[in-house]
Coordinates of all heavy atoms in Angstrom, one line a residue:
E125 N 4.2 -177.8 72.8 CA 5.2 -178.8 72.4 C 5.8 -179.5 73.5 O 6.6 -180.4 73.4 CB 6.3 -178.1 71.5 CG 5.8 -177.4 70.3 CD 6.9 -176.7 69.5 OE1 8.1 -177.1 69.7 OE2 6.6 -175.7 68.8
G126 N 5.3 -179.2 74.7 CA 5.8 -179.9 75.9 C 7.2 -179.5 76.4 O 7.8 -180.3 77.1
R127 N 7.7 -178.4 75.9 CA 9.0 -177.9 76.4 C 9.0 -177.4 77.8 O 7.9 -177.1 78.3 CB 9.5 -176.8 75.4 CG 9.9 -177.3 74.0 CD 10.2 -176.2 73.1 NE 9.1 -175.4 72.8 CZ 9.1 -174.3 72.0 NH1 10.2 -173.9 71.4 NH2 8.0 -173.6 71.8
R128 N 10.1 -177.3 78.4 CA 10.2 -176.9 79.8 C 9.8 -175.4 79.9 O 10.1 -174.6 79.1 CB 11.6 -177.1 80.4 CG 12.1 -178.5 80.6 CD 13.5 -178.5 81.0 NE 14.4 -178.0 80.0 CZ 15.6 -177.5 80.2 NH1 16.0 -177.3 81.5 NH2 16.3 -177.0 79.3
T129 N 9.1 -175.1 81.0 CA 8.8 -173.7 81.3 C 9.2 -173.3 82.7 O 9.5 -174.2 83.6 CB 7.2 -173.4 81.2 OG1 6.6 -173.8 82.4 CG2 6.6 -174.2 80.0
V130 N 9.3 -172.0 82.9 CA 9.8 -171.6 84.3 C 8.8 -172.0 85.4 O 9.2 -172.1 86.5 CB 10.0 -170.0 84.3 CG1 11.1 -169.6 83.4 CG2 8.7 -169.3 83.8
F131 N 7.5 -172.2 85.0 CA 6.5 -172.5 86.0 C 6.6 -174.0 86.5 O 6.1 -174.3 87.5 CB 5.1 -172.2 85.5 CG 4.8 -170.8 85.3 CD1 5.0 -170.2 84.0 CD2 4.4 -170.0 86.3 CE1 4.8 -168.8 83.9 CE2 4.1 -168.7 86.2 CZ 4.3 -168.1 84.9
D132 N 7.4 -174.8 85.8 CA 7.5 -176.2 86.2 C 8.2 -176.4 87.5 O 7.9 -177.3 88.2 CB 8.3 -177.0 85.1 CG 7.6 -177.1 83.8 OD1 6.4 -176.9 83.8 OD2 8.3 -177.3 82.8
R133 N 9.1 -175.4 87.9 CA 9.9 -175.6 89.1 C 9.3 -174.9 90.3 O 9.8 -175.1 91.4 CB 11.3 -175.1 88.8 CG 12.1 -175.8 87.7 CD 13.4 -175.2 87.7 NE 14.2 -175.6 86.5 CZ 15.1 -176.5 86.5 NH1 15.4 -177.2 87.6 NH2 15.8 -176.8 85.4
L134 N 8.3 -174.0 90.1 CA 7.9 -173.1 91.1 C 7.0 -173.8 92.2 O 6.4 -174.8 91.8 CB 7.1 -171.9 90.6 CG 7.8 -171.0 89.6 CD1 7.0 -169.8 89.2 CD2 9.2 -170.6 90.1
P135 N 7.1 -173.4 93.4 CA 6.2 -174.0 94.4 C 4.8 -173.8 94.2 O 4.4 -172.8 93.6 CB 6.7 -173.3 95.7 CG 7.2 -172.0 95.3 CD 7.8 -172.2 93.9
R136 N 3.9 -174.7 94.7 CA 2.5 -174.5 94.6 C 2.1 -173.4 95.6 O 2.7 -173.2 96.7 CB 1.8 -175.8 95.0 CG 2.0 -176.9 93.9 CD 1.1 -178.1 94.2 NE 1.3 -179.1 93.2 CZ 0.7 -179.1 92.0 NH1 -0.1 -178.2 91.7 NH2 1.0 -180.1 91.2
I137 N 1.0 -172.7 95.3 CA 0.5 -171.6 96.1 C -1.0 -171.8 96.2 O -1.7 -171.7 95.2 CB 0.9 -170.2 95.6 CG1 0.4 -169.1 96.5 CG2 0.5 -170.0 94.1 CD1 1.0 -167.8 96.1
D138 N -1.5 -172.2 97.4 CA -2.9 -172.6 97.6 C -3.9 -171.5 97.1 O -3.8 -170.4 97.6 CB -3.1 -172.9 99.1 CG -2.4 -174.2 99.5 OD1 -2.0 -175.0 98.6 OD2 -2.2 -174.3 100.7
G139 N -4.8 -171.9 96.2 CA -5.9 -171.1 95.8 C -5.4 -169.9 94.9 O -6.3 -169.1 94.6
E140 N -4.2 -169.8 94.6 CA -3.7 -168.7 93.8 C -2.7 -169.3 92.7 O -2.5 -170.5 92.6 CB -3.0 -167.7 94.6 CG -3.8 -167.1 95.7 CD -3.0 -166.1 96.6 OE1 -2.8 -165.0 96.2 OE2 -2.5 -166.5 97.7
R141 N -2.1 -168.4 92.0 CA -1.0 -168.8 91.1 C 0.0 -167.7 90.9 O -0.3 -166.5 91.1 CB -1.5 -169.3 89.8 CG -2.2 -168.3 88.9 CD -2.6 -168.9 87.6 NE -3.3 -168.0 86.7 CZ -3.6 -168.3 85.5 NH1 -3.3 -169.5 85.0 NH2 -4.3 -167.5 84.7
W142 N 1.2 -168.1 90.6 CA 2.3 -167.2 90.4 C 2.2 -166.4 89.1 O 1.8 -167.0 88.1 CB 3.7 -167.9 90.5 CG 4.0 -168.5 91.8 CD1 4.1 -169.8 92.1 CD2 4.3 -167.8 93.0 NE1 4.4 -170.0 93.4 CE2 4.5 -168.8 94.0 CE3 4.3 -166.5 93.4 CZ2 4.8 -168.5 95.3 CZ3 4.6 -166.2 94.7 CH2 4.9 -167.1 95.7
I143 N 2.5 -165.2 89.1 CA 2.4 -164.3 88.0 C 3.8 -163.8 87.7 O 4.5 -163.3 88.6 CB 1.5 -163.1 88.2 CG1 0.1 -163.6 88.5 CG2 1.4 -162.2 86.9 CD1 -0.8 -162.5 89.2
A144 N 4.3 -164.0 86.4 CA 5.6 -163.6 86.1 C 5.7 -162.1 85.9 O 4.8 -161.5 85.3 CB 6.1 -164.3 84.8
V145 N 6.7 -161.5 86.5 CA 6.9 -160.1 86.3 C 7.8 -159.9 85.1 O 9.0 -159.9 85.1 CB 7.6 -159.4 87.5 CG1 7.9 -158.0 87.3 CG2 6.8 -159.7 88.8
G146 N 7.2 -159.9 83.9 CA 7.9 -159.8 82.6 C 8.4 -161.2 82.2 O 8.2 -162.2 83.0
R147 N 9.0 -161.3 81.1 CA 9.4 -162.5 80.5 C 10.9 -162.4 80.1 O 11.4 -161.3 79.9 CB 8.6 -163.0 79.3 CG 7.1 -163.2 79.7 CD 6.4 -163.7 78.4 NE 5.0 -164.1 78.7 CZ 4.2 -164.6 77.8 NH1 4.6 -164.9 76.6 NH2 2.9 -164.9 78.2
L148 N 11.5 -163.6 80.0 CA 12.8 -163.7 79.3 C 12.7 -164.7 78.2 O 12.0 -165.7 78.4 CB 13.9 -164.2 80.3 CG 14.2 -163.2 81.5 CD1 15.3 -163.9 82.4 CD2 14.8 -161.9 81.0
D149 N 13.3 -164.5 77.1 CA 13.1 -165.4 76.0 C 13.9 -166.7 76.3 O 14.7 -166.8 77.2 CB 13.5 -164.8 74.6 CG 15.0 -164.5 74.5 OD1 15.8 -165.4 74.8 OD2 15.4 -163.4 74.2
I150 N 13.6 -167.7 75.5 CA 14.2 -169.1 75.8 C 15.7 -169.1 75.9 O 16.2 -169.9 76.6 CB 13.6 -170.1 74.7 CG1 13.9 -171.5 75.1 CG2 14.2 -169.8 73.3 CD1 13.2 -172.5 74.3
N151 N 16.4 -168.2 75.2 CA 17.8 -168.2 75.2 C 18.4 -167.2 76.2 O 19.7 -167.1 76.2 CB 18.4 -167.9 73.8 CG 18.0 -169.0 72.8 OD1 18.1 -170.2 73.1 ND2 17.6 -168.6 71.6
T152 N 17.6 -166.6 77.0 CA 18.1 -165.7 78.0 C 17.9 -166.3 79.4 O 16.9 -166.9 79.7 CB 17.3 -164.3 77.9 OG1 17.5 -163.8 76.6 CG2 17.8 -163.3 79.0
A153 N 19.0 -166.1 80.2 CA 19.0 -166.6 81.6 C 18.9 -165.5 82.6 O 18.9 -164.3 82.3 CB 20.3 -167.5 81.8
G154 N 18.9 -165.9 83.9 CA 19.0 -164.9 84.9 C 17.8 -164.6 85.7 O 16.8 -165.4 85.8
L155 N 17.7 -163.4 86.3 CA 16.7 -163.0 87.3 C 15.3 -162.9 86.7 O 15.1 -162.1 85.8 CB 17.2 -161.7 87.9 CG 16.2 -161.0 88.8 CD1 15.9 -161.8 90.1 CD2 16.8 -159.6 89.3
M156 N 14.4 -163.7 87.3 CA 13.0 -163.5 87.1 C 12.3 -163.3 88.4 O 12.7 -163.9 89.4 CB 12.4 -164.6 86.3 CG 12.7 -164.6 84.8 SD 11.7 -165.8 83.9 CE 10.0 -165.0 83.9
L157 N 11.3 -162.5 88.5 CA 10.5 -162.3 89.7 C 9.0 -162.9 89.4 O 8.5 -162.7 88.3 CB 10.4 -160.9 90.1 CG 11.7 -160.2 90.5 CD1 11.4 -158.7 90.8 CD2 12.3 -160.9 91.7
F158 N 8.5 -163.5 90.5 CA 7.1 -164.0 90.4 C 6.4 -163.5 91.6 O 7.0 -163.4 92.7 CB 7.0 -165.5 90.3 CG 7.6 -166.1 89.1 CD1 9.0 -166.3 89.0 CD2 6.9 -166.4 88.0 CE1 9.6 -166.8 87.9 CE2 7.4 -166.9 86.9 CZ 8.8 -167.1 86.8
T159 N 5.1 -163.1 91.5 CA 4.3 -162.7 92.6 C 2.9 -163.2 92.5 O 2.4 -163.6 91.4 CB 4.3 -161.1 92.7 OG1 3.5 -160.7 93.8 CG2 3.7 -160.5 91.5
N160 N 2.2 -163.2 93.6 CA 0.8 -163.6 93.6 C -0.1 -162.3 93.5 O -1.3 -162.4 93.5 CB 0.4 -164.4 94.8 CG 0.6 -163.6 96.1 OD1 1.4 -162.7 96.2 ND2 -0.1 -163.9 97.2
D161 N 0.5 -161.1 93.4 CA -0.2 -159.9 93.3 C -0.2 -159.3 91.9 O 0.8 -158.8 91.4 CB 0.4 -158.9 94.3 CG -0.4 -157.6 94.4 OD1 -0.9 -157.1 93.4 OD2 -0.4 -157.0 95.5
G162 N -1.3 -159.5 91.2 CA -1.4 -159.1 89.8 C -1.2 -157.6 89.6 O -0.6 -157.2 88.6
E163 N -1.7 -156.8 90.5 CA -1.5 -155.4 90.3 C -0.1 -155.0 90.5 O 0.4 -154.1 89.7 CB -2.4 -154.6 91.4 CG -2.3 -153.1 91.4 CD -2.8 -152.5 90.1 OE1 -3.6 -153.2 89.4 OE2 -2.4 -151.4 89.8
M164 N 0.6 -155.6 91.4 CA 2.1 -155.2 91.5 C 2.8 -155.7 90.3 O 3.7 -155.0 89.8 CB 2.7 -155.8 92.8 CG 4.1 -155.3 93.1 SD 4.7 -155.8 94.7 CE 5.2 -157.5 94.4
A165 N 2.5 -156.9 89.8 CA 3.2 -157.4 88.6 C 3.0 -156.4 87.5 O 3.9 -156.1 86.7 CB 2.7 -158.8 88.3
N166 N 1.7 -156.0 87.3 CA 1.4 -155.1 86.2 C 2.2 -153.8 86.3 O 2.8 -153.3 85.3 CB -0.1 -154.8 86.2 CG -0.5 -153.9 85.0 OD1 -0.5 -154.3 83.9 ND2 -0.8 -152.6 85.3
R167 N 2.3 -153.2 87.5 CA 3.0 -152.0 87.7 C 4.5 -152.1 87.5 O 5.2 -151.3 86.9 CB 2.7 -151.4 89.0 CG 1.3 -150.9 89.2 CD 1.1 -150.1 90.5 NE -0.3 -149.8 90.8 CZ -0.6 -148.9 91.6 NH1 0.2 -148.2 92.3 NH2 -1.9 -148.7 91.9
L168 N 5.1 -153.2 88.0 CA 6.5 -153.5 87.8 C 6.9 -153.6 86.3 O 8.1 -153.3 86.0 CB 7.0 -154.7 88.6 CG 7.1 -154.6 90.1 CD1 7.2 -155.9 90.8 CD2 8.2 -153.7 90.5
M169 N 6.0 -154.1 85.5 CA 6.3 -154.2 84.1 C 5.9 -153.0 83.3 O 6.5 -152.8 82.2 CB 5.4 -155.4 83.5 CG 5.9 -156.8 84.0 SD 4.9 -158.1 83.2 CE 3.4 -158.0 84.1
H170 N 5.1 -152.1 83.8 CA 4.6 -151.0 83.0 C 5.7 -149.9 82.8 O 6.4 -149.5 83.8 CB 3.4 -150.3 83.7 CG 2.6 -149.5 82.8 ND1 2.9 -148.2 82.4 CD2 1.4 -149.8 82.2 CE1 2.0 -147.8 81.6 NE2 1.1 -148.7 81.4
P171 N 5.9 -149.5 81.6 CA 7.0 -148.5 81.3 C 6.9 -147.2 82.1 O 7.9 -146.5 82.3 CB 6.9 -148.3 79.8 CG 5.6 -148.8 79.4 CD 5.2 -149.9 80.4
S172 N 5.7 -146.8 82.5 CA 5.5 -145.5 83.2 C 6.3 -145.5 84.5 O 6.6 -144.4 85.0 CB 4.0 -145.2 83.4 OG 3.4 -146.2 84.3
Y173 N 6.5 -146.6 85.1 CA 7.3 -146.7 86.4 C 8.8 -146.7 86.2 O 9.5 -146.6 87.2 CB 6.8 -147.8 87.2 CG 5.4 -147.6 87.8 CD1 4.3 -148.1 87.1 CD2 5.1 -146.9 88.9 CE1 3.0 -147.9 87.5 CE2 3.8 -146.6 89.4 CZ 2.8 -147.2 88.7 OH 1.5 -146.9 89.1
E174 N 9.2 -146.9 85.0 CA 10.6 -146.9 84.6 C 11.5 -147.7 85.6 O 12.5 -147.2 86.1 CB 11.1 -145.4 84.5 CG 10.4 -144.6 83.5 CD 10.9 -143.2 83.3 OE1 11.6 -142.7 84.2 OE2 10.7 -142.6 82.2

Side-chain angles (χ1 to χ4, degrees):
E125 299 176 28
R127 291 173 294 180
R128 290 177 296 154
T129 83
V130 293
F131 290 94
D132 293 340
R133 299 183 192 260
L134 301 187
R136 293 187 180 277
I137 180 168
D138 291 340
E140 303 176 80
R141 61 179 181 170
W142 295 112
I143 302 162
V145 179
R147 296 183 177 186
L148 293 177
D149 68 52
I150 192 169
N151 295 317
T152 301
L155 172 62
M156 285 192 73
L157 297 176
F158 296 83
T159 179
N160 62 333
D161 188 322
E163 178 63 20
M164 188 169 79
N166 183 70
R167 293 192 187 195
L168 284 168
M169 290 184 282
H170 201 281
S172 65
Y173 289 95
E174 298 186 338

